Amino acid sequence: MSEPAHIRATYNDIHNIIKASSAKIAEFKPNMLIAIGGGGFFPARVLRTFLKDPSTKRNIPIQAIGLSLYESLPGTTAEQLGNEVIRTQWLGPEPGKTLLGRRALIVDEVDDSRKTLQYGNRDKLIARYALSELQKDVENELQAVPESERDALRTKFAIFVVHNKLKPKLGELPPDIPYFAGAEVEDLWLDYPWEAMDIEEHDRLAAEDKAKST
Amino acid sequence: MSEPAHIRATYNDIHNIIKASSAKIAEFKPNMLIAIGGGGFFPARVLRTFLKDPSTKRNIPIQAIGLSLYESLPGTTAEQLGNEVIRTQWLGPEPGKTLLGRRALIVDEVDDSRKTLQYGNRDKLIARYALSELQKDVENELQAVPESERDALRTKFAIFVVHNKLKPKLGELPPDIPYFAGAEVEDLWLDYPWEAMDIEEHDRLAAEDKAKST
């Protein structure tokens, strides 16, 4: 009998993946992090340790957002899905104003496929759906701005995920969106440490996996 | 020369403090977690692993909030401070409606004294200020509800902090607010793992500290 294929990431693994990614991410010069809850909370907080606002040299503010998708039937198009997003939490207090003129990095733990609930009842949603929702806010807010100023104020977005699963994605990213993946991984079940009921056992299994693969 | 007195917490230390606190917290029956950014993000995410919504048995939703305090002069009263809170992020999209009828647990990493910026430029704010801000929203929202229904809908709050520093606090908690502290610690500088530039060195020093204290 073969064991179910898991990838187990320890806290320190993730911490170090983020650290190693930070130099590359700094080239985008983000001055705002948008953490997708709940999986993006921890990565965003760690990333902030390794980035400073390029102009002020201060901490980069983190905003959190929450999205949920209605369960959808097989065959639902990406466009239909886009209409089924519920914002459980959003930028505040004024989303558009929070975004205009910013360089915003969207942060999540994994870029998997397209759906919430794919891991049972976890509230997982991929960053690319967050991106399109945020872009809607920016475009709405830009309507109140003279046309000649819009390009300068249009938010620059980028995406960072700790793990990118090597599998086909529903919905292509626009080519002008920088995309940073801390690690590219096979399409296996990812066990995150914050979900471990027994963190010592989790670490022990992770160490075993590492020993096997070397 | 004496070294500056630090308490170093590893990721697994914090994970296990939260795990050990969860049975006690479950007695409050929270059905909503409010994470104070950025220090409350990680604790809230871990706590959710050890709690389920008591009625639905599903994951408890996490909302994130951000607060900042204006720098204030020595001698500023707690009341004045209360007026100087800026909400950098808030419950959304409808704060009052998100809260009414809920049992909400406010989560942060440390209950220290009263101010942001006390650790340099970290955006730290203690849970008790978040509480009073949230209570304002609840009372505002209750004005739209018939008086006879208000008591039933008034949000029940509780607070959980991973570490409670044993020192005088500015501002007493109302006596009806359950308060959970994962660990009581001396008034020393707390080094959190998510702020470690070198996580292996952080862990090594934490292990040394533990060896010394036993």
Side-chain angles (χ1 to χ4, degrees):
Chain A
M1 250 179 70
S2 71
E3 279 190 64
H6 283 225
I7 302 169
R8 291 182 190 87
T10 69
Y11 283 121
N12 288 12
D13 289 341
I14 294 170
H15 189 101
N16 285 325
I17 286 174
I18 293 168
K19 179 181 179 176
S21 307
S22 61
K24 197 81 195 157
I25 293 169
E27 294 173 15
F28 171 68
K29 300 186 171 50
N31 55 17
M32 176 182 191
L33 304 181
I34 300 177
I36 304 182
F41 286 170
F42 173 62
R45 181 60 192 81
V46 175
L47 181 59
R48 195 176 70 177
T49 295
F50 296 103
L51 291 176
K52 294 287 162 198
D53 185 300
S55 49
T56 64
K57 307 291 174 203
R58 296 186 63 165
N59 277 336
I60 300 177
I62 303 175
Q63 292 262 325
I65 60 173
L67 289 168
S68 238
L69 283 183
Y70 290 106
E71 281 285 358
S72 55
L73 298 170
T76 307
T77 66
E79 194 178 294
Q80 286 173 315
L81 268 180
N83 296 327
E84 290 168 3
V85 170
I86 317 163
R87 301 176 177 192
T88 56
Q89 164 140 50
W90 211 244
L91 308 172
E94 293 173 284
K97 293 207 177 63
T98 307
L99 287 168
L100 286 200
R102 294 276 202 163
R103 304 182 64 85
L105 181 73
I106 300 167
V107 180
D108 206 355
E109 93 274 49
V110 62
D111 188 357
D112 195 317
S113 59
R114 62 176 175 82
K115 282 192 49 169
T116 49
L117 308 177
Q118 61 189 345
Y119 289 154
N121 56 1
R122 293 185 210 174
D123 66 349
K124 189 66 208 66
L125 186 94
I126 61 165
R128 45 194 82 202
Y129 281 93
L131 172 68
S132 72
E133 289 296 302
L134 291 163
Q135 285 174 326
K136 282 183 205 167
D137 279 9
V138 170
E139 294 308 318
N140 282 342
E141 197 67 28
L142 284 174
Q143 296 310 307
V145 167
E147 208 169 334
S148 60
E149 299 170 24
R150 287 183 195 165
D151 282 351
L153 286 173
R154 183 171 283 113
T155 311
K156 305 284 184 295
F157 288 104
I159 291 177
F160 170 61
V161 292
V162 178
H163 293 109
N164 179 37
K165 286 197 181 177
L166 296 167
K167 64 193 287 190
K169 302 291 161 65
L170 263 125
E172 284 306 305
L173 273 187
D176 58 329
I177 301 295
Y179 179 88
F180 306 98
E184 309 273 354
V185 295
E186 297 301 309
D187 185 17
L188 303 175
W189 191 287
L190 266 159
D191 284 348
Y192 283 102
W194 49 82
E195 290 166 347
M197 301 301 289
D198 180 338
I199 193 67
E200 285 77 22
E201 175 70 3
H202 176 87
D203 285 2
R204 194 185 64 73
L205 292 169
E208 265 186 26
D209 291 346
K210 271 175 207 143
K212 272 184 221 164
S213 70
T214 51
Chain B
M1 250 177 70
S2 71
E3 279 189 65
H6 283 224
I7 302 169
R8 291 182 191 87
T10 69
Y11 284 121
N12 287 11
D13 289 341
I14 294 170
H15 189 101
N16 284 325
I17 286 174
I18 293 168
K19 179 181 179 176
S21 308
S22 62
K24 196 82 195 158
I25 292 169
E27 294 173 13
F28 170 69
K29 299 187 172 53
N31 54 18
M32 176 182 192
L33 304 182
I34 299 177
I36 303 181
F41 287 171
F42 173 61
R45 182 59 192 84
V46 176
L47 181 59
R48 195 176 69 177
T49 295
F50 296 104
L51 291 175
K52 293 290 162 196
D53 184 301
S55 49
T56 65
K57 306 292 173 203
R58 297 187 64 165
N59 277 336
I60 299 177
I62 302 175
Q63 292 264 324
I65 61 173
L67 289 168
S68 237
L69 283 183
Y70 290 106
E71 281 287 357
S72 54
L73 299 169
T76 307
T77 65
E79 196 177 291
Q80 285 172 317
L81 268 180
N83 296 328
E84 291 168 4
V85 171
I86 317 162
R87 300 176 177 192
T88 57
Q89 165 140 51
W90 210 244
L91 307 171
E94 293 172 284
K97 292 208 177 65
T98 307
L99 287 168
L100 289 198
R102 292 278 201 162
R103 304 182 64 85
L105 181 74
I106 299 167
V107 178
D108 206 354
E109 93 273 52
V110 63
D111 188 357
D112 194 315
S113 59
R114 63 177 174 81
K115 282 194 47 172
T116 50
L117 307 176
Q118 60 188 346
Y119 289 153
N121 57 0
R122 293 186 209 174
D123 67 349
K124 189 64 207 67
L125 186 95
I126 60 167
R128 46 193 83 203
Y129 280 93
L131 173 67
S132 72
E133 288 297 301
L134 291 163
Q135 285 174 325
K136 282 182 204 167
D137 280 7
V138 170
E139 294 307 319
N140 282 341
E141 196 66 29
L142 285 174
Q143 296 310 307
V145 168
E147 210 169 333
S148 61
E149 298 171 23
R150 288 183 194 164
D151 282 350
L153 285 173
R154 183 170 283 115
T155 311
K156 304 284 183 295
F157 288 104
I159 291 177
F160 170 61
V161 292
V162 178
H163 293 110
N164 179 39
K165 286 198 182 176
L166 296 167
K167 65 192 288 188
K169 303 290 162 65
L170 263 124
E172 284 305 306
L173 273 187
D176 58 329
I177 301 294
Y179 179 88
F180 306 97
E184 310 272 355
V185 294
E186 297 303 309
D187 185 17
L188 303 174
W189 190 287
L190 264 160
D191 285 349
Y192 283 102
W194 47 84
E195 290 165 348
M197 301 301 290
D198 180 337
I199 192 69
E200 285 78 21
E201 176 69 0
H202 176 88
D203 285 3
R204 195 185 62 73
L205 292 169
E208 264 186 27
D209 292 346
K210 270 175 209 143
K212 271 184 221 162
S213 71
T214 51

